[in-house]
Amino acid sequence: GTILELCQVVRDLDAALIHWTRTIGAGPFFVFEVPVLPGQQYRGQPTQVSLRVAFGFSGRLLIELLQQTNGTPSVFTEML
């Protein structure tokens, strides 16, 4: 098969958007604010993660850029 989607966890979504659009030539990107949703867990403990997420294409490849907007422990902060 082929790779359909790439997700990159970033510290600064705005800087990542500039890089992906100006340097790589991907996009346009659509940005969404994701508030804290109920029922989240991380390593078996309750957590409250909020995010900014951007979706755009480079050819047929879907690019997802994800920035956690709070300091709650999560898989996203662990990735950084």
Side-chain angles (χ1 to χ4, degrees), residues 53-67:
V53 182
F55 295 98
F57 281 91
S58 178
R60 297 174 127 188
L61 178 66
L62 174 61
I63 309 293
E64 178 182 0
L65 305 173
L66 185 147
Q67 175 190 355

Side-chain angles (χ1 to χ4, degrees), residues 19-31:
H19 173 75
W20 278 93
T21 56
R22 293 183 187 169
T23 305
I24 306 294
F29 282 85
F30 301 92
V31 179

